[in-house]
Structures are given as structure tokens and as C-alpha cells.
Amino acid sequence: MSALRKIVRKYLIIALVSCCGLLYAQTAVAPEYQVKAVFLYNFTHFIEWPSSTFPSTKSPFIIGILGKDPFGPYLEETMSGENVDGHPLIIQHYDKVDEIVTCHILFINKSEASNMANIVANLKGRNILTLSDAPDFLQRGGMIRFLTKSGKIQFQINLQAVQSAKLDISSKLLRLAEVVDPN
Amino acid sequence: MLFADLPIQKKLMRGINLISGVVLLVTCTTFFSYEFYKFRQTSTEKLSTIGKIVSANGTAALAFANHDDAQEILASLKSEPNIVAACFYDEKGNLFSQYPANLGADAFPVKPEEAGYRFSSSHLEGFEPVMQGSQRLGTLYLKSDLGAIYERFQLYGIITAFVIAISLLLAYLLSRTLQNTITKPILALSETSKIVSDQRDYSVRAVKLGNDELGSLTDAFNQMLAQIEEQNKTLSEFNQKLERKVTERTRELESANKKLELHATKLKESEEQIQTIFRSAPDAVIVIDEAGKIVRWNPRAEIIFGWTAKEVIGKSLFDKIIPDRFRETQKQEIKQFIKARNGTALNKSLELLAIRKDLTEFDAGINISPTILNGKYYFIGFVSDITFRKNAEATIKQKSEELAYSNKELGDFAYIVSHDLKAPLRAIASLSNFLEEDFGDKLGKTGKQQLNLLVGRVHRMNNLIEGILDYSRLRPDKSKAGIVNLNHVLKEVKELIGSPGNIEIKIENPLPTIMFDQTKIEQVFQNLVGNAIKYMDKPKGIIRIGSSIEDNFWKFYVADNGPGIDERYFDKIFQIFQTLTARDERESTGIGLAIVKKIIDTNGGRIWVESQLNEGTTFYFTLPMN
């Protein structure tokens, strides 16, 4: 029995150490992304995608990140075990826009800002909600832009772009957002 | 006072008021409870709805941690003044946003609790999960003040109380009117029944006030009264009959009692009389039983026989008073009677020799009668010492024989004397005739006159002698009696007398036919009627003759309206040779009535006279009917 106990104790210690390492890694990520990860997830509740985007009821709900992932572990934490109307949540990272096959929400890192117009144009006509921190994201055809005002994370919405992507956006969400006309 | 004892009016009133009170109370309580429950439910539902709306509205605010928005949403609760506190908890259960904003944090639960709404003492509070789709984003807390509710319920209570009060008042007023329609006939009935029971007057009738059950009850009651009245009448009639019967019976009983008393008195009297008779009877009274033993012995018996009652009671009668030589015969007589209920010696007077205590014998008259007392035969014997009577009888017999002889001699003498006297009288008459014939012219007027007087006296003398002869010849002779119709007799008498025209003879009723010597009854009527005519002094004379029956006698009368007879002479007129007028005035021998009296007397009758001077005279005489 003591032999078995020793083995269990050894693995517990390993697990704890690895956890500590994870925690450390997380703290390196900017705290605002923790909130943004939650927001990202919460958008799934206030926006409806056309059913054509789900080939079956078991088809996954895919959240994609284009460019560098700024969320660290938060996104994973937020999404783990959750689903959207029965569709399991899957996070996918894309380096290039061409890689995107099926995606419902696409967070575009501001690192891609120089190529933004190209990306947006590429995604035009597809039912993908695009989000980004990039300052002229909406002007370039993006849908929702996070911004921080007096320490609070807020968002702006390009309603035209959302509607042209055939996405139904909840008025409740619109009430919180700053609706911007990019033109 | 027990409820059951209350007057029906009060009962009804109380009943109605109690029922309406209970109904009202139950109704109001039910409504109140329902209202309260409903209100709570409604309040809960309302709060829950508000909660749902607010939470729905707050989803985005929570999801995107927008405090301002959350604040704003909560501030919208201002329109609900009942809601005194509200707050959002975030997904982790931390207080996210509160309302009103200035309220201290301790006014809210630290952590959200289970979803749902609960009533606390004065508040309704609840937690509503904030969901977006299936995602829980947080929790809403709502707290509603129930003061308003309670205020409302206070109002409700006041209204209810007011309604109950008004309803009770109305019920009371209505019941007063309604109960009248029920109690009035009942009271009338009760009043009537009270009169009936108090005054026993079954003729009263309850007044019918409607056609409901009380009406039928009144009818039934009246019918019952009628029946009772009828029965009472029958009963009283029966009673009267009974009373009458009782009275009748009582009267009968009383009369029977009276009779009985009378009877008892009579019995007592007769007993006393018997005792008196027994004690003071001139005869010896002796009672013997069937065996001939002496039972009673009266004082007279003591004197006659010399034995005292003490000495003889219980002894054999025959041994005591019957001489030896007759004793057996007497005993046999008694035995014979008991055996055959008759005997030769019983119930008739016997004369036999009896013996005294001193052994002297004497003639005794004995009469023995059987009698039954308490089912036993007794014999009552009356014994008298008839020695004296026997002697007297013997004397009377001798004397009457002597009298008869002397009477006959006297009769014979009178006859002979009369007969012998008649011969010289006849000679005197003849000689007088010769004198008149031969020397009539020589005698002269005076001589003739005197000669006539002589002839008259001779005639009178002759009549007297004839009368004496008649009288002496009157002897009772039954052999000459025969059937005589007195009507015929009177007819003959009237013809014989030839009454003058101024005198009427009236037979006032048909006279009977009797057994008598016809010559003698003719003599009687001839004398009586003849006398009446002879002495009649009235210009119109009436002689009435009639008969009647009195006891066992015929009673006859001969009445006239002549001069009448002084009462002094009522006896004298029946004596022989007695006349009330001078013989020269009326030619009379004074023998007629003497003969009449003799005839009546010798035939067992009686004759007497009733008269009033100048009015008339009535002769009565009786004759035995057999």
C-alpha cells in the first residue's frame, strides 16, 4: 500500500508544480484579455448565426484567432466545457486568412492591422463575426471593436457589416455597444 | 336561558341572524383568504415577472459587466414603488449592481440564494437567475415591501366588517318581517291551544293565515279540536246518561233500601208483635221441633200447665202434656206430617184432654201449625184451657133450648089468644049489624052515631088481632126462600097499594134478584112504601127506591119527601104497637114496621132510618148477598 501511496504522492506533486508553472505563464498576459475572453464567449449568447453554418446539431461552434493569440490561457479557461446551443466550442488559431474553412467568431489580432482590409475583404459574404482591437477596424469593414474607456472595456459595432454577414445581433447587445457607421 | 326554552320568535331571529352571520363570516373569510392567497400569488407572480423582465434586460449588462447599464436597468424599478431593494449578482455571486444606489450593502444578502420567491415577515423577496439562453450570467435579487398589501388588507378587513355589519342588520330587519309570517300562525296556534287548555273550551278555532305547512297544521289542529269537541260531547252525553242511570239506580236502591228498611221495621215490629203475642197470648203458645222437643214455652203455657219454660225446653212435648193413652197417636201425627207434608190433626182446632204438672187432666183446645225455619220443620201449638168454655157452651145450649120453648109457647099463646079473641069480636060485629038493621030507626041520631063508633072500634080491634097473628106467625123458615126479582116485587106492591095521583114512585136503578121468601120481601116493601104514602103531607109526593152493594150486603133504601120523623122516635117506630099519631087521625096498628124489622133482623140484615123534619124520611135496610 505504501508503495502505491508514494506513487500517487509523486504524481500529485508533479501536477501541482505544472499548475504553478501555468499560473505563472498566465500572469504574463494583459488582464484586459481575461475580460475580453469572457466577452468573446458572451457574444455567442447575443448573436445568432444562420443555421447553415452548422451542418448538424453536433457541429462545433468554432472561435478562431487570426494572428498571435493575446488571450493566453483565459480563452481556453472560459470556453472549457461550454457550448453554444448544444454545439461544442472549439478554438482554432489561424495564421493566414486563407486557412479559415469554417468559423463563427474570428478574433483578429491587431498585429494583423496592416493587412486588415485584405482580411475583411476576404471574409466578406461569409457568416463570420469579426472582432479586433485594431483602432480602424470598423472603418476597414470589421464588425466589433474592443476599446478601453476610462478603464472599462467597451465595444463598437459596425451594424451594417454585421447585417451583411447575415448575423442577428441582439438589441440588448446593441444597447451596450457604440454603434458606428464606418462611412 | 336555554336556547330550547326561548320563545320561537327569538329562536327564529337568533337562528336567522346566527346563520346569516356564520354564512357571511365564512363567505368573507373565504373571500378574504382567497383574496389574500391570490394577492400573495399575484404579488409573487408580479414580482417574478418583474424579476424575469429585469433579469432578461440585465443579461447583457452582466455578460459584459456594464455597471452603468445594470444600474440603469435596476433604476427602471422606480416605477414599482413596492420594490424597496434590488440587485444583480454576477456569475460568481458577487454583488454587481444595486438599487437604490445609496442603500448600504448590508441591505442585500451577501450571496444569492436559491431561485424563487419567499415571504418574510414584512417583505416578499426572491432571486431570479439571469439567463441568456441556457447560459447563467448572474442572479437578480428583488425585495418587495408588503406594507401596501397589508394596508390593502386592512381596507379589505374594514370593508368586510362593514359588509358583515350591514348584512347582519339587513338580515335582522328582514328576519323580523319574515319571522312574523312564520311565528304569527304559530303564536296564533299557541294562543288558541292555551285558551283550549286553560278554559277547556274546545269550540274555539285557530285562524288560518296561509296555505303552507302551518296552514295545514292549523287545519289539522282545528280538525283535532273538532274531534275532541265531538268526543267530549259524546262523552258528556254518555256521562249524562250514566249519571241519569246512576241517579235512577240510586233512587231505585234508595227506594229498595227504604222498602227494605220498612220491611225490616215491619219485620221488627211484627217480631215484636209476635213476641208480645207470644208473651201475652191468652193461650199457651208452644213451639216444638221435628222430633217433638219443646223449643219455646210462653208464660201462659206456664200458667196453664204448671211447668216453667226452664223445666220443659228441650223436653218432649208429648211426654209433658199428653196423657199416656193419646201420646203415641200424637207422635205418629207429627211423623206423618213430616213424611207426607200433611196430617189429619194439623191446621185445625182440636179438642183433647191434656195433663198438667200436677197430673190433673183438662179439656184443651189445640191448634197445631207447621212452619219452616232455616229449612227445618217446627210446629207451633196454641193450647187453651177450654174447661170454662165447654161449661159455658153447655149452659148456652140449655138456655137457648129453654128460650126456644118459651118463644114457641109465647107464639102459640099469642096465636091462640088472638084466635080466641076473634070469635067474640066477630059476635060483637054481628050483633052490631043486627042492632042497626032491627033498631036503626029507634036509636035516633046519637044512638046511630055511637053504634058506628062501636063498629069502628070492633074493626080496629080485629086489625090489632090480625097484626098480632101476623107478627107471631113470623118465624124464619129457609125452606120458603126462592129466587125473587125485586123489580117484579115492586111492580106488584105498587099495583096492590094503588098510589094516589099526586105521589110518584121512582125506582132509581134496576133492583137485584135475590134469594128470599117472596111473601116476606113483599111485606117489607109494602109496609115501607105504604107508610110513605100514608103519611105524605106534600101536594106533590115523591118516593124513591134504589139499591147498592156494600161489602157482602145489598143495601136498599125507600125515601120520601113527607113530614119526617123526629130523631127521638128513630127507635120507637120499630117497636110493636107504637104509633106517632093518634089512632083516630091515621088508622094504624103500629105493627107494620115491627114486622119489617123482624123480617130484616131474622134474615141477617139491619134496618135504620134517617130523617129531617118536614124534609122527608129515608128507610135503609141491608140483606146478606148469599
Side-chain angles (χ1 to χ4, degrees):
Chain A
M1 282 292 270
S2 60
L4 183 64
R5 201 174 283 169
K6 273 176 192 166
I7 294 163
V8 171
R9 200 176 288 163
K10 190 173 137 189
Y11 280 105
L12 271 171
I13 290 163
I14 292 164
L16 270 169
V17 169
S18 47
C19 279
C20 285
L22 267 169
L23 280 167
Y24 179 71
Q26 278 170 359
T27 49
V29 179
E32 57 172 291
Y33 279 94
Q34 192 178 2
V35 177
K36 282 176 183 169
V38 174
F39 275 27
L40 199 65
Y41 171 63
N42 281 346
F43 281 134
T44 64
H45 305 311
F46 296 94
I47 294 167
E48 245 177 74
W49 277 261
S51 55
S52 56
T53 56
F54 301 101
S56 77
T57 50
K58 290 290 168 195
S59 304
F61 188 96
I62 298 160
I63 295 175
I65 296 160
L66 187 62
K68 199 182 164 228
D69 183 354
F71 297 99
Y74 295 130
L75 200 58
E76 289 283 344
E77 267 171 36
T78 309
M79 306 290 174
S80 73
E82 300 292 348
N83 60 63
V84 179
D85 294 332
H87 303 283
L89 274 167
I90 290 172
I91 300 165
Q92 292 212 330
H93 293 89
Y94 307 106
D95 291 329
K96 288 177 181 164
V97 76
D98 307 339
E99 292 169 21
I100 298 168
V101 181
T102 305
C103 186
H104 295 93
I105 294 176
L106 182 68
F107 185 80
I108 305 162
N109 200 323
K110 51 188 173 189
S111 58
E112 306 296 316
S114 53
N115 198 27
M116 199 60 78
N118 188 31
I119 292 169
V120 172
N122 196 298
L123 294 173
K124 202 173 174 102
R126 298 176 69 174
N127 314 111
I128 297 168
L129 182 73
T130 51
L131 294 111
S132 183
D133 302 327
D136 53 352
F137 179 59
L138 298 187
Q139 282 72 29
R140 297 197 188 267
M143 296 174 192
I144 296 172
R145 178 196 163 223
F146 288 116
L147 71 160
T148 303
K149 250 190 198 165
S150 57
K152 280 186 178 168
I153 297 162
Q154 294 184 345
F155 45 87
Q156 294 176 316
I157 291 176
N158 178 354
L159 198 55
Q160 209 182 328
V162 173
Q163 281 167 348
S164 64
K166 294 204 168 52
L167 297 178
D168 250 1
I169 188 156
S170 164
S171 60
K172 289 188 223 168
L173 186 61
L174 289 175
R175 221 160 61 94
L176 298 181
E178 186 187 342
V179 178
V180 174
D181 184 2
N183 304 315
Chain B
M1 193 189 269
L2 286 169
F3 184 71
D5 299 334
L6 283 176
I8 200 152
Q9 242 170 334
K10 283 195 174 172
K11 253 184 222 171
L12 267 172
M13 292 273 285
R14 287 195 187 179
I16 290 167
N17 289 328
L18 187 74
I19 289 165
S20 42
V22 166
V23 166
L24 273 170
L25 205 68
V26 168
T27 310
C28 288
T29 310
T30 310
F31 272 113
F32 197 81
S33 306
Y34 174 74
E35 207 50 44
F36 188 70
Y37 166 77
K38 194 78 191 165
F39 198 86
R40 276 170 74 125
Q41 206 180 24
T42 313
S43 304
T44 312
E45 269 170 17
K46 191 178 167 192
L47 197 64
S48 155
T49 307
I50 291 168
K52 280 196 171 73
I53 292 165
V54 171
S55 69
N57 282 338
T59 44
L62 274 173
F64 302 102
N66 192 321
H67 282 276
D68 294 342
D69 191 46
Q71 209 72 33
E72 206 176 302
I73 287 165
L74 286 177
S76 69
L77 290 171
K78 256 188 195 141
S79 60
E80 291 291 334
N82 292 339
I83 296 170
V84 291
C87 70
F88 280 119
Y89 297 91
D90 66 14
E91 207 178 350
K92 296 194 176 68
N94 299 318
L95 192 63
F96 177 72
S97 174
Q98 65 167 62
Y99 165 85
N102 54 358
L103 212 60
D106 54 346
F108 305 95
V110 183
K111 290 276 169 199
E113 289 160 27
E114 208 184 321
Y117 295 85
R118 294 167 273 281
F119 283 92
S120 71
S121 58
S122 59
H123 294 92
L124 169 63
E125 51 190 347
F127 296 90
E128 187 71 43
V130 180
M131 304 284 286
Q132 183 62 34
S134 57
Q135 185 64 37
R136 179 162 187 167
L137 301 171
T139 308
L140 172 71
Y141 167 75
L142 287 171
K143 188 178 186 182
S144 174
D145 187 10
L146 291 177
I149 300 175
Y150 290 126
E151 236 168 64
R152 195 168 148 188
F153 275 99
Q154 240 168 23
L155 189 67
Y156 263 44
I158 289 162
I159 289 167
T160 305
F162 192 66
V163 164
I164 287 176
I166 294 282
S167 304
L168 278 178
L169 187 69
L170 278 173
Y172 173 76
L173 291 174
L174 275 173
S175 67
R176 267 172 74 100
T177 324
L178 279 176
Q179 58 96 10
N180 249 357
T181 63
I182 294 167
T183 54
K184 219 170 152 191
I186 292 176
L187 289 179
L189 257 183
S190 139
E191 195 62 35
T192 310
S193 66
K194 200 167 156 20
I195 290 169
V196 168
S197 68
D198 283 358
Q199 305 177 359
R200 301 198 171 282
D201 181 1
Y202 297 104
S203 64
V204 293
R205 292 288 178 273
V207 181
K208 192 177 170 184
L209 293 168
N211 277 321
D212 58 353
E213 291 88 338
L214 283 168
S216 329
L217 188 65
T218 309
D219 279 344
F221 182 74
N222 283 341
Q223 212 176 330
M224 202 171 72
L225 278 180
Q227 278 171 6
I228 290 173
E229 200 183 1
E230 186 68 27
Q231 280 169 3
N232 261 3
K233 216 166 111 190
T234 317
L235 213 68
S236 92
E237 268 168 24
F238 186 74
N239 261 0
Q240 273 172 8
K241 251 187 225 169
L242 213 68
E243 254 169 47
R244 263 208 299 280
K245 244 183 200 170
V246 167
T247 316
E248 235 169 72
R249 286 274 182 286
T250 310
R251 207 179 299 132
E252 278 172 21
L253 266 174
E254 270 172 6
S255 103
N257 255 2
K258 224 173 261 172
K259 269 185 200 163
L260 217 67
E261 260 173 40
L262 206 70
H263 189 68
T265 314
K266 272 187 187 163
L267 215 68
K268 205 179 162 194
E269 278 171 11
S270 92
E271 175 66 18
E272 269 168 18
Q273 281 170 4
I274 286 167
Q275 283 301 322
T276 310
I277 290 166
F278 181 75
R279 271 195 310 274
S280 53
D283 288 356
V285 180
I286 301 161
V287 181
I288 58 169
D289 62 13
E290 287 174 5
K293 292 267 187 311
I294 296 165
V295 182
R296 302 201 68 171
W297 185 264
N298 80 336
R300 187 67 193 158
E302 290 181 341
I303 293 164
I304 290 174
F305 291 98
W307 298 101
T308 63
K310 269 187 188 170
E311 286 171 321
V312 294
I313 298 242
K315 304 274 167 40
S316 167
L317 174 75
F318 310 106
D319 294 347
K320 290 293 173 197
I321 70 158
I322 309 289
D324 291 350
R325 57 188 187 277
F326 304 123
R327 209 167 278 165
E328 273 313 305
T329 325
Q330 287 298 313
K331 280 187 185 174
Q332 286 308 315
E333 272 289 336
I334 301 288
K335 278 181 188 165
Q336 172 64 26
F337 172 80
I338 293 163
K339 225 167 125 186
R341 302 282 179 268
N342 66 39
T344 53
L346 293 169
N347 286 320
K348 58 186 171 192
S349 294
L350 295 172
E351 285 175 14
L352 49 81
L353 275 173
I355 189 164
R356 295 196 184 92
K357 189 182 182 184
D358 59 9
L359 299 178
T360 54
E361 291 187 1
F362 66 99
D363 283 310
I366 294 182
N367 192 315
I368 299 172
S369 312
T371 181
I372 295 174
L373 194 70
N374 296 332
K376 278 184 175 176
Y377 276 102
Y378 288 90
F379 299 90
I380 305 172
F382 297 91
V383 184
S384 51
D385 186 343
I386 56 167
T387 315
F388 177 76
R389 202 186 83 199
K390 278 239 154 186
N391 292 343
E393 269 175 13
T395 314
I396 287 164
K397 201 179 169 192
Q398 193 193 340
K399 284 276 191 280
S400 62
E401 272 167 11
E402 281 171 17
L403 199 68
Y405 182 74
S406 80
N407 262 359
K408 194 176 179 293
E409 260 192 349
L410 200 68
D412 288 350
F413 170 74
Y415 185 79
I416 291 160
V417 166
S418 307
H419 199 266
D420 288 354
L421 281 176
K422 270 176 104 175
L425 206 58
R426 224 180 285 122
I428 293 169
S430 301
L431 286 171
S432 304
N433 264 346
F434 295 157
L435 265 176
E436 201 187 358
E437 281 169 17
D438 296 344
F439 308 100
D441 50 343
K442 289 173 187 163
L443 281 172
K445 201 185 173 187
T446 316
K448 259 188 177 175
Q449 211 173 3
Q450 284 170 346
L451 193 64
N452 280 344
L453 275 174
L454 177 74
V455 171
R457 293 291 190 274
V458 168
H459 271 286
R460 192 183 290 172
M461 185 69 181
N462 190 53
N463 282 347
L464 279 170
I465 290 165
E466 283 290 330
I468 289 165
L469 275 172
D470 284 349
Y471 189 78
S472 65
R473 272 201 298 268
L474 283 176
R475 289 207 185 95
D477 191 350
K478 292 256 157 83
S479 63
K480 284 185 180 168
I483 298 166
V484 186
N485 186 334
L486 293 181
N487 297 298
H488 295 164
V489 169
L490 259 293
K491 205 177 163 194
E492 272 170 36
V493 167
K494 271 159 83 179
E495 276 172 12
L496 203 68
I497 294 170
S499 66
N502 67 325
I503 295 172
E504 190 194 350
I505 299 172
K506 272 166 75 180
I507 312 294
E508 295 202 316
N509 64 320
L511 299 174
T513 298
I514 60 171
M515 279 294 283
F516 216 81
D517 183 338
Q518 183 164 353
T519 321
K520 282 178 180 163
I521 198 70
E522 270 176 18
Q523 250 178 317
V524 170
F525 280 109
Q526 204 177 329
N527 270 301
L528 293 175
V529 176
N531 279 347
I533 291 170
K534 197 193 281 177
Y535 296 104
M536 178 57 67
D537 59 347
K538 304 290 189 308
K540 186 147 179 68
I542 296 169
I543 298 166
R544 296 176 295 110
I545 299 163
S547 68
S548 62
I549 294 172
E550 247 175 46
D551 297 328
N552 277 323
F553 287 88
W554 292 110
K555 183 182 171 187
F556 300 95
Y557 64 86
V558 176
D560 63 56
N561 59 342
I565 301 163
D566 194 317
E567 204 181 335
R568 282 180 287 173
Y569 307 117
F570 280 3
D571 286 336
K572 198 183 173 189
I573 54 168
F574 293 109
Q575 289 169 14
I576 195 163
F577 303 137
Q578 294 294 332
T579 59
L580 299 181
T581 52
R583 284 191 207 278
D584 291 343
E585 204 176 304
R586 292 262 201 273
E587 191 55 54
S588 172
T589 53
I591 285 172
L593 280 177
I595 288 172
V596 167
K597 185 170 162 56
K598 199 176 179 187
I599 291 168
I600 301 300
D601 284 352
T602 51
N603 281 285
R606 201 161 71 79
I607 184 163
W608 68 99
V609 65
E610 285 173 11
S611 178
Q612 200 112 48
L613 277 172
N614 294 322
E615 295 281 316
T617 308
T618 306
F619 282 92
Y620 293 96
F621 67 94
T622 62
L623 289 172
M625 286 178 85
N626 45 3

